[in-house]
Each structure stands twice: as structure tokens, then as C-alpha cells.
Amino acid sequence: MKKLMKLVVLFSAFFMISSAYSTDLPPSANITKAFADSAKRSILGEGGEFPIKMDGGYEITNIFSNPNSIVFEYNMPTDSQSVTIEDITEDIRLGLNAQFCNKQDVIKVLRAYDIQFLFRFQFNDDRNVPATLSIDEICKEQK
């Protein structure tokens, strides 16, 4: 019962945050919008703007949502042949694992609405490379 109440509170918070959004949108769109807005605030703080340069030399240029995706866009300081997308995606997966995988309520919401994380990497050789991760891929056990 306690878990159900936590889930109800979590859903209430998401719907409160997204109550200003169109009621014509599917519920997953409101939830992904709330996640994307929260990620923006977490990275930018109040009043910050994109792009924002990160320690690794790359820039986060935008965060937004689609009905079933939280989209992160990056400018990469290298050409697309110098680094593998698998290595970049694994680094991101590890970071998201630390943020989400101990929060069962968040995992349940992401699974229930089949919300994916979509990453778009713009390399300096003008190549765009996408990568996606589900919450199950993010929280998988390392071998």
C-alpha cells in the first residue's frame, strides 16, 4: 500500500507540473515533458541557457521531449570516426544508472509509459548519430 501511495504521489507531481500542457496530448507526452523540463533545470539551473559546455569538452545543446522520448542533443568536439557511439552511450548509461536505478517509482513510470532516452550527437564532421536507451538498458546489471 505504501508503494502504491508513493506512485500516486509521483504521478500527481508529474501531472501538477504538466497541467499547463494541452489535454489533447497522450499521458506519456506530459510525463516526458515533465522529465525533460526537470533535466533542463537540473543541468542549467534557473535562467541558464543552452548550449552548456561539459567537462569532457562536449556541449549539451538542447533537452526536449517527444511523446515517448526524452531527447538530449550534443555537440561533440571530435569527428565521428574518433570515438565509438557504444563508448559514449555506455558512459551516459552509467551516469543515468546512478541517477535512476535506485528509484523504483521512476523506473515504474518509465516502464509503464515505455519512455526512452534518445541521444543525438552532432560531430564536427557534420555527422549526426543517434542512440537510444530504455530504462531496462540503463539499469541492466554489468557483467
PDB file of all heavy atoms in Angstrom, residues 114-130:
ATOM      1  N   ASP A 114       6.580   3.346 -21.467  1.00  0.00           N
ATOM      2  CA  ASP A 114       7.574   2.987 -22.485  1.00  0.00           C
ATOM      3  C   ASP A 114       8.353   4.216 -22.957  1.00  0.00           C
ATOM      4  O   ASP A 114       8.485   4.475 -24.151  1.00  0.00           O
ATOM      5  CB  ASP A 114       6.906   2.283 -23.662  1.00  0.00           C
ATOM      6  CG  ASP A 114       7.916   1.636 -24.588  1.00  0.00           C
ATOM      7  OD1 ASP A 114       9.009   1.260 -24.115  1.00  0.00           O
ATOM      8  OD2 ASP A 114       7.629   1.538 -25.799  1.00  0.00           O
ATOM      9  N   ILE A 115       8.867   4.964 -21.996  1.00  0.00           N
ATOM     10  CA  ILE A 115       9.619   6.180 -22.290  1.00  0.00           C
ATOM     11  C   ILE A 115      11.080   5.828 -22.491  1.00  0.00           C
ATOM     12  O   ILE A 115      11.691   5.140 -21.676  1.00  0.00           O
ATOM     13  CB  ILE A 115       9.439   7.214 -21.158  1.00  0.00           C
ATOM     14  CG1 ILE A 115       7.966   7.638 -21.097  1.00  0.00           C
ATOM     15  CG2 ILE A 115      10.354   8.414 -21.372  1.00  0.00           C
ATOM     16  CD1 ILE A 115       7.600   8.496 -19.903  1.00  0.00           C
ATOM     17  N   GLN A 116      11.633   6.294 -23.599  1.00  0.00           N
ATOM     18  CA  GLN A 116      13.021   6.051 -23.976  1.00  0.00           C
ATOM     19  C   GLN A 116      13.839   7.327 -23.804  1.00  0.00           C
ATOM     20  O   GLN A 116      13.293   8.422 -23.838  1.00  0.00           O
ATOM     21  CB  GLN A 116      13.093   5.643 -25.454  1.00  0.00           C
ATOM     22  CG  GLN A 116      12.287   4.432 -25.821  1.00  0.00           C
ATOM     23  CD  GLN A 116      13.022   3.151 -25.542  1.00  0.00           C
ATOM     24  OE1 GLN A 116      14.226   3.082 -25.740  1.00  0.00           O
ATOM     25  NE2 GLN A 116      12.324   2.141 -25.082  1.00  0.00           N
ATOM     26  N   PHE A 117      15.125   7.170 -23.677  1.00  0.00           N
ATOM     27  CA  PHE A 117      16.058   8.291 -23.706  1.00  0.00           C
ATOM     28  C   PHE A 117      16.697   8.269 -25.091  1.00  0.00           C
ATOM     29  O   PHE A 117      17.270   7.264 -25.496  1.00  0.00           O
ATOM     30  CB  PHE A 117      17.133   8.146 -22.623  1.00  0.00           C
ATOM     31  CG  PHE A 117      16.584   8.265 -21.235  1.00  0.00           C
ATOM     32  CD1 PHE A 117      16.028   7.172 -20.588  1.00  0.00           C
ATOM     33  CD2 PHE A 117      16.620   9.484 -20.574  1.00  0.00           C
ATOM     34  CE1 PHE A 117      15.520   7.285 -19.308  1.00  0.00           C
ATOM     35  CE2 PHE A 117      16.113   9.603 -19.287  1.00  0.00           C
ATOM     36  CZ  PHE A 117      15.561   8.500 -18.659  1.00  0.00           C
ATOM     37  N   LEU A 118      16.586   9.376 -25.826  1.00  0.00           N
ATOM     38  CA  LEU A 118      17.149   9.484 -27.161  1.00  0.00           C
ATOM     39  C   LEU A 118      18.269  10.509 -27.116  1.00  0.00           C
ATOM     40  O   LEU A 118      18.095  11.617 -26.610  1.00  0.00           O
ATOM     41  CB  LEU A 118      16.079   9.930 -28.163  1.00  0.00           C
ATOM     42  CG  LEU A 118      16.536  10.260 -29.577  1.00  0.00           C
ATOM     43  CD1 LEU A 118      17.164   9.062 -30.255  1.00  0.00           C
ATOM     44  CD2 LEU A 118      15.375  10.798 -30.397  1.00  0.00           C
ATOM     45  N   PHE A 119      19.432  10.117 -27.636  1.00  0.00           N
ATOM     46  CA  PHE A 119      20.605  10.990 -27.653  1.00  0.00           C
ATOM     47  C   PHE A 119      20.971  11.256 -29.110  1.00  0.00           C
ATOM     48  O   PHE A 119      21.070  10.322 -29.899  1.00  0.00           O
ATOM     49  CB  PHE A 119      21.776  10.331 -26.909  1.00  0.00           C
ATOM     50  CG  PHE A 119      21.399   9.920 -25.523  1.00  0.00           C
ATOM     51  CD1 PHE A 119      20.971   8.627 -25.259  1.00  0.00           C
ATOM     52  CD2 PHE A 119      21.432  10.832 -24.488  1.00  0.00           C
ATOM     53  CE1 PHE A 119      20.593   8.253 -23.982  1.00  0.00           C
ATOM     54  CE2 PHE A 119      21.057  10.469 -23.204  1.00  0.00           C
ATOM     55  CZ  PHE A 119      20.634   9.175 -22.953  1.00  0.00           C
ATOM     56  N   ARG A 120      21.182  12.525 -29.436  1.00  0.00           N
ATOM     57  CA  ARG A 120      21.589  12.912 -30.786  1.00  0.00           C
ATOM     58  C   ARG A 120      22.947  13.592 -30.677  1.00  0.00           C
ATOM     59  O   ARG A 120      23.074  14.626 -30.027  1.00  0.00           O
ATOM     60  CB  ARG A 120      20.581  13.871 -31.398  1.00  0.00           C
ATOM     61  CG  ARG A 120      19.238  13.252 -31.658  1.00  0.00           C
ATOM     62  CD  ARG A 120      18.311  14.265 -32.274  1.00  0.00           C
ATOM     63  NE  ARG A 120      16.998  13.691 -32.474  1.00  0.00           N
ATOM     64  CZ  ARG A 120      15.920  14.401 -32.655  1.00  0.00           C
ATOM     65  NH1 ARG A 120      15.988  15.719 -32.692  1.00  0.00           N
ATOM     66  NH2 ARG A 120      14.756  13.819 -32.823  1.00  0.00           N
ATOM     67  N   PHE A 121      23.922  13.000 -31.324  1.00  0.00           N
ATOM     68  CA  PHE A 121      25.282  13.511 -31.271  1.00  0.00           C
ATOM     69  C   PHE A 121      25.634  14.156 -32.606  1.00  0.00           C
ATOM     70  O   PHE A 121      25.596  13.491 -33.639  1.00  0.00           O
ATOM     71  CB  PHE A 121      26.269  12.383 -30.964  1.00  0.00           C
ATOM     72  CG  PHE A 121      25.951  11.651 -29.688  1.00  0.00           C
ATOM     73  CD1 PHE A 121      25.298  10.428 -29.716  1.00  0.00           C
ATOM     74  CD2 PHE A 121      26.295  12.193 -28.460  1.00  0.00           C
ATOM     75  CE1 PHE A 121      24.997   9.748 -28.539  1.00  0.00           C
ATOM     76  CE2 PHE A 121      26.001  11.529 -27.287  1.00  0.00           C
ATOM     77  CZ  PHE A 121      25.348  10.309 -27.327  1.00  0.00           C
ATOM     78  N   GLN A 122      25.979  15.444 -32.569  1.00  0.00           N
ATOM     79  CA  GLN A 122      26.436  16.167 -33.761  1.00  0.00           C
ATOM     80  C   GLN A 122      27.948  16.264 -33.651  1.00  0.00           C
ATOM     81  O   GLN A 122      28.472  16.913 -32.748  1.00  0.00           O
ATOM     82  CB  GLN A 122      25.826  17.569 -33.806  1.00  0.00           C
ATOM     83  CG  GLN A 122      26.403  18.490 -34.853  1.00  0.00           C
ATOM     84  CD  GLN A 122      25.966  18.118 -36.263  1.00  0.00           C
ATOM     85  OE1 GLN A 122      24.814  17.844 -36.484  1.00  0.00           O
ATOM     86  NE2 GLN A 122      26.896  18.117 -37.184  1.00  0.00           N
ATOM     87  N   PHE A 123      28.645  15.572 -34.568  1.00  0.00           N
ATOM     88  CA  PHE A 123      30.098  15.582 -34.560  1.00  0.00           C
ATOM     89  C   PHE A 123      30.611  16.709 -35.437  1.00  0.00           C
ATOM     90  O   PHE A 123      29.880  17.243 -36.283  1.00  0.00           O
ATOM     91  CB  PHE A 123      30.638  14.235 -35.048  1.00  0.00           C
ATOM     92  CG  PHE A 123      30.394  13.124 -34.058  1.00  0.00           C
ATOM     93  CD1 PHE A 123      29.240  12.363 -34.126  1.00  0.00           C
ATOM     94  CD2 PHE A 123      31.311  12.856 -33.061  1.00  0.00           C
ATOM     95  CE1 PHE A 123      29.006  11.344 -33.213  1.00  0.00           C
ATOM     96  CE2 PHE A 123      31.097  11.839 -32.143  1.00  0.00           C
ATOM     97  CZ  PHE A 123      29.936  11.089 -32.217  1.00  0.00           C
ATOM     98  N   ASN A 124      31.886  17.079 -35.273  1.00  0.00           N
ATOM     99  CA  ASN A 124      32.424  18.207 -36.036  1.00  0.00           C
ATOM    100  C   ASN A 124      32.689  17.868 -37.506  1.00  0.00           C
ATOM    101  O   ASN A 124      33.077  18.740 -38.271  1.00  0.00           O
ATOM    102  CB  ASN A 124      33.649  18.828 -35.360  1.00  0.00           C
ATOM    103  CG  ASN A 124      34.824  17.892 -35.245  1.00  0.00           C
ATOM    104  OD1 ASN A 124      34.863  16.838 -35.874  1.00  0.00           O
ATOM    105  ND2 ASN A 124      35.787  18.281 -34.438  1.00  0.00           N
ATOM    106  N   ASP A 125      32.447  16.623 -37.920  1.00  0.00           N
ATOM    107  CA  ASP A 125      32.493  16.289 -39.346  1.00  0.00           C
ATOM    108  C   ASP A 125      31.075  16.301 -39.949  1.00  0.00           C
ATOM    109  O   ASP A 125      30.812  15.694 -40.972  1.00  0.00           O
ATOM    110  CB  ASP A 125      33.192  14.946 -39.591  1.00  0.00           C
ATOM    111  CG  ASP A 125      32.538  13.775 -38.860  1.00  0.00           C
ATOM    112  OD1 ASP A 125      31.524  13.970 -38.153  1.00  0.00           O
ATOM    113  OD2 ASP A 125      33.046  12.646 -38.987  1.00  0.00           O
ATOM    114  N   ASP A 126      30.165  17.008 -39.266  1.00  0.00           N
ATOM    115  CA  ASP A 126      28.765  17.186 -39.672  1.00  0.00           C
ATOM    116  C   ASP A 126      27.969  15.889 -39.749  1.00  0.00           C
ATOM    117  O   ASP A 126      26.958  15.810 -40.438  1.00  0.00           O
ATOM    118  CB  ASP A 126      28.659  17.939 -41.008  1.00  0.00           C
ATOM    119  CG  ASP A 126      29.075  19.388 -40.872  1.00  0.00           C
ATOM    120  OD1 ASP A 126      28.868  19.968 -39.784  1.00  0.00           O
ATOM    121  OD2 ASP A 126      29.623  19.934 -41.844  1.00  0.00           O
ATOM    122  N   ARG A 127      28.399  14.903 -39.023  1.00  0.00           N
ATOM    123  CA  ARG A 127      27.656  13.642 -38.952  1.00  0.00           C
ATOM    124  C   ARG A 127      26.810  13.647 -37.682  1.00  0.00           C
ATOM    125  O   ARG A 127      27.308  13.975 -36.603  1.00  0.00           O
ATOM    126  CB  ARG A 127      28.622  12.466 -38.941  1.00  0.00           C
ATOM    127  CG  ARG A 127      27.915  11.140 -39.005  1.00  0.00           C
ATOM    128  CD  ARG A 127      28.867  10.014 -39.323  1.00  0.00           C
ATOM    129  NE  ARG A 127      28.138   8.762 -39.290  1.00  0.00           N
ATOM    130  CZ  ARG A 127      28.562   7.669 -38.684  1.00  0.00           C
ATOM    131  NH1 ARG A 127      29.742   7.655 -38.089  1.00  0.00           N
ATOM    132  NH2 ARG A 127      27.839   6.585 -38.684  1.00  0.00           N
ATOM    133  N   ASN A 128      25.533  13.315 -37.829  1.00  0.00           N
ATOM    134  CA  ASN A 128      24.613  13.173 -36.701  1.00  0.00           C
ATOM    135  C   ASN A 128      24.425  11.695 -36.419  1.00  0.00           C
ATOM    136  O   ASN A 128      24.097  10.929 -37.325  1.00  0.00           O
ATOM    137  CB  ASN A 128      23.253  13.782 -37.027  1.00  0.00           C
ATOM    138  CG  ASN A 128      23.318  15.271 -37.112  1.00  0.00           C
ATOM    139  OD1 ASN A 128      23.745  15.923 -36.171  1.00  0.00           O
ATOM    140  ND2 ASN A 128      22.906  15.829 -38.234  1.00  0.00           N
ATOM    141  N   VAL A 129      24.632  11.302 -35.170  1.00  0.00           N
ATOM    142  CA  VAL A 129      24.496   9.897 -34.799  1.00  0.00           C
ATOM    143  C   VAL A 129      23.542   9.799 -33.609  1.00  0.00           C
ATOM    144  O   VAL A 129      23.788  10.402 -32.562  1.00  0.00           O
ATOM    145  CB  VAL A 129      25.863   9.277 -34.437  1.00  0.00           C
ATOM    146  CG1 VAL A 129      25.702   7.810 -34.072  1.00  0.00           C
ATOM    147  CG2 VAL A 129      26.845   9.449 -35.584  1.00  0.00           C
ATOM    148  N   PRO A 130      22.445   9.051 -33.767  1.00  0.00           N
ATOM    149  CA  PRO A 130      21.518   8.873 -32.654  1.00  0.00           C
ATOM    150  C   PRO A 130      21.836   7.610 -31.850  1.00  0.00           C
ATOM    151  O   PRO A 130      22.472   6.679 -32.346  1.00  0.00           O
ATOM    152  CB  PRO A 130      20.168   8.724 -33.359  1.00  0.00           C
ATOM    153  CG  PRO A 130      20.526   8.027 -34.644  1.00  0.00           C
ATOM    154  CD  PRO A 130      21.895   8.568 -35.024  1.00  0.00           C
TER     155      PRO A 130
END
